[in-house]
Amino acid sequence: DVKVTQSSRYLVKRTGEKVFLECVQDMDHENMFWYRQDPGLGLRLIYFSYDVKMKEKGDIPEGYSVSREKKERFSLILESASTNQTSMYLCASIPSWDSENNEQFFGPGTRLTVL
Amino acid sequence: AQTVTQSQPEMSVQEAETVTLSCTYDTSESNYYLFWYKQPPSRQMILVIRQEAYKQQNATENRFSVNFQKAAKSFSLKISDSQLGDTAMYFCAFMTSIVPLNDYKLSFGAGTTVTVRA
């Protein structure tokens, strides 16, 4: 089974703190994603990466950065956390293109509260 | 991002009954993939069912089936014989099939919370 794990289920930080959210997948997937989930808005893509050291902005990248130094690990960084970044953060991965296997696999999520 | 619309924020269904969730989307592409994902309370998001736009036959997975109307850009999910374990938030999602762009991104709808009553 594919496993996508995230470093924390719950996290509480203060405004202005630098926050790291870690995601690790164990199935050698090339592509990894960070989404945030908010009520009434669904999931919105923050950043994604299709290879080590490669990154692409998603729909809402402002206030975030990412790092992918190893294939299995994709980190989301909040340089200076703000209260409007309080949300559920979901990581996902998917293997290289296969029309019969294009399912994204999700981590359990990190619920971040910024006070 | 493609626009995906789920117009039903919440739905309630009696155990063993059938419920249908609606989803519409907007695209100019001719081929693409549509998905329904399930997120149970405090649990991981999992894939329920997938449909490729070029395939005319509607996808089915056990008690879950879709009604894919390509011209209308509609992709509804039917849950038959609802079970208590079906209680979850359900998301409709769109993925392009433009492979050369390495575009595996998903565009999600806002979600529909389904509650199955005993």
Side-chain angles (χ1 to χ4, degrees):
Chain A
D1 279 354
V2 175
K3 279 210 173 149
V4 181
T5 57
Q6 295 182 227
S7 50
S8 306
R9 289 301 302 271
Y10 300 92
L11 208 53
V12 180
K13 295 291 181 181
R14 298 220 171 263
T15 302
E17 279 193 80
K18 190 169 186 175
V19 181
F20 293 87
L21 303 183
E22 306 285 340
C23 174
V24 177
Q25 49 92 6
D26 67 357
M27 283 301 290
D28 203 36
H29 288 174
E30 289 79 9
N31 305 280
M32 297 186 74
F33 305 81
W34 275 106
Y35 297 91
R36 66 176 280 175
Q37 180 180 355
D38 299 289
L41 297 177
L43 279 73
R44 293 178 291 166
L45 182 65
I46 305 171
Y47 266 97
F48 66 102
S49 168
Y50 53 88
D51 202 350
V52 175
K53 297 192 184 296
M54 303 305 291
K55 60 184 179 183
E56 295 284 344
K57 292 180 179 179
D59 300 316
I60 52 164
E62 297 78 19
Y64 304 94
S65 62
V66 290
S67 172
R68 185 133 181 238
E69 296 297 318
K70 293 186 177 182
K71 192 174 185 180
E72 67 272 17
R73 187 180 298 269
F74 191 35
S75 302
L76 180 69
I77 303 158
L78 287 65
E79 294 289 344
S80 178
S82 64
T83 55
N84 63 12
Q85 292 178 310
T86 291
S87 186
M88 170 72 87
Y89 290 88
L90 294 174
C91 175
S93 71
I94 188 173
S96 56
W97 188 261
D98 177 351
S99 63
E100 296 301 319
N101 188 25
N102 59 352
E103 172 186 354
Q104 281 197 16
F105 294 89
F106 285 83
T110 295
R111 185 166 293 283
L112 173 67
T113 302
V114 183
L115 302 175
Chain B
Q2 309 289 344
T3 302
V4 179
T5 302
Q6 293 178 248
S7 57
Q8 305 150 313
E10 295 181 2
M11 298 195 76
S12 180
V13 60
Q14 193 71 34
E15 199 174 9
E17 298 289 310
T18 295
V19 63
T20 300
L21 283 59
S22 66
C23 172
T24 59
Y25 56 94
D26 187 26
T27 185
S28 58
E29 299 170 16
S30 58
N31 196 31
Y32 44 87
Y33 294 86
L34 295 164
F35 304 81
W36 280 98
Y37 278 87
K38 170 184 177 181
Q39 187 181 43
S42 301
R43 291 178 61 188
Q44 227 143 321
M45 183 102 73
I46 57 172
L47 178 67
V48 174
I49 199 165
R50 166 180 47 212
Q51 174 84 38
E52 183 174 2
Y54 267 145
K55 293 185 177 178
Q56 297 197 357
Q57 187 171 8
N58 288 326
T60 62
E61 288 287 344
N62 301 314
R63 297 181 294 106
F64 297 87
S65 61
V66 298
N67 183 5
F68 173 49
Q69 302 288 328
K70 191 173 184 180
K73 297 180 182 175
S74 170
F75 183 60
S76 62
L77 174 71
K78 184 169 80 171
I79 307 174
S80 303
D81 185 25
S82 297
Q83 300 176 0
L84 296 177
D86 295 333
T87 292
M89 179 164 279
Y90 289 81
F91 291 97
C92 179
F94 174 102
M95 180 188 288
T96 183
S97 68
I98 302 176
V99 176
L101 294 179
N102 290 323
D103 194 345
Y104 312 112
K105 297 178 293 185
L106 284 170
S107 296
F108 285 87
T112 297
T113 299
V114 173
T115 302
V116 180
R117 308 185 308 273

